[in-house]
């Protein structure tokens, strides 16, 4: 199998962490690309031109990080990143959706800020900032203080927190919620997170 990723993408990082947590690094080759400078033929792999994308051994192409992570966990891995209890599974998926949504909003802010100043919409940026802040507030209210189980939900939230703090270090979005930092610290010993940390 082959994963197309970008070192700066929090969505691609989710998949890379999942691969390491499932001990699949020997089965999946990783090629780093830049979505804005896609290699020839990449649009046939992912017509949306985004990362990540996973090409299976039979040529099947999977796009979108939640789909890829669930496939790797359930079909290729041993399922340890999604517990068998039905209630837990929906809670994990909901947590992952919240983390993905915060990342979506933050990416839109970053992209809008890269436009020529005369074209930047401050109202658009403000609306996305409100989503990020509401998302962090919800995370702070729902994440258990001592829970450090690695699953597809916590992987997503960690990748979200790390990326937002890197790309928006001049904001104070997460500072009203110190519980998030304390929760994240509980995962500091994971090799999968250290080796994929964005820089």
């Amino acid at each position: 199998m082959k994963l197309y990723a970008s070192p700066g993408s929090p969505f691609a990082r989710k998949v890379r962490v999942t691969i390491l947590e499932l001990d699949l690094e020997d089965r999946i080759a990783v090629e780093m690309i830049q979505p804005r400078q896609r290699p020839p033929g990449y649009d046939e792999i992912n017509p949306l031109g985004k990362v990540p994308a996973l090409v299976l051994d039979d040529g099947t192409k999977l796009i979108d990080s939640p789909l890829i992570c669930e496939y790797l966990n359930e079909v290729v891995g041993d399922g340890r990143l999604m517990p068998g209890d039905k209630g837990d599974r929906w809670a994990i998926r909901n947590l992952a959706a919240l983390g993905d949504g915060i990342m979506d909003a933050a990416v839109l802010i970053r992209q809008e800020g890269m436009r020529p100043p005369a074209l930047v919409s401050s109202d658009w940026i403000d609306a996305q900032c409100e989503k990020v802040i509401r998302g962090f507030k919800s995370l702070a209210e729902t994440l258990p203080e001592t829970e450090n189980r690695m699953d597809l939900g916590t992987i997503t939230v960690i990748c979200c927190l790390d990326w937002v703090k890197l790309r928006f270090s001049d904001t104070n979005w997460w500072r009203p919620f110190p519980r998030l930092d304390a929760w994240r610290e509980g995962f500091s010993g994971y090799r999968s997170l250290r080796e994929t940390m964005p820089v």
Side-chain angles (χ1 to χ4, degrees), residues 35-190:
R36 293 189 178 204
Q37 300 173 339
R38 298 185 295 280
Y42 185 71
D43 290 347
E44 295 176 10
I45 295 170
N46 186 345
L48 303 180
K50 301 192 297 184
V51 292
L54 180 69
V55 180
L56 308 184
D57 291 335
D58 66 2
T60 301
K61 303 168 185 73
L62 301 180
I63 61 173
D64 193 40
S65 61
L67 173 67
I68 295 171
C69 288
E70 289 212 29
Y71 176 85
L72 292 175
N73 182 61
E74 295 181 18
V75 180
V76 185
D78 58 12
R80 77 182 85 153
L81 299 179
M82 184 74 79
D85 179 82
K86 186 181 293 186
D88 281 349
R89 292 172 72 88
W90 286 113
I92 289 169
R93 286 189 175 103
N94 195 52
L95 184 61
L98 180 56
D100 281 333
I102 295 170
M103 287 191 288
D104 284 335
V107 167
L108 289 174
I109 294 168
R110 183 168 166 77
Q111 290 175 339
E112 183 70 13
M114 296 168 69
R115 300 176 72 198
L119 299 178
V120 172
S121 169
S122 59
D123 289 342
W124 171 260
I125 290 177
D126 289 345
Q128 303 310 314
C129 287
E130 289 175 7
K131 294 178 186 178
V132 172
I133 294 168
R134 289 197 305 267
F136 281 156
K137 182 176 185 292
S138 181
L139 286 176
E141 292 171 350
T142 58
L143 286 173
E145 298 226 11
T146 57
E147 178 63 77
N148 63 354
R149 179 182 68 191
M150 188 69 89
D151 58 41
L152 295 182
T154 55
I155 288 171
T156 303
V157 170
I158 290 167
C159 291
C160 169
L161 290 173
D162 289 348
W163 188 82
V164 169
K165 291 177 80 170
L166 173 70
R167 295 297 187 190
F168 297 93
S169 59
D170 58 339
T171 73
N172 62 355
W173 292 336
W174 60 88
R175 293 193 178 98
F177 314 110
R179 185 179 184 190
L180 295 179
D181 283 331
W183 176 84
R184 171 62 179 90
E185 184 62 26
F187 293 87
S188 60
Y190 282 86

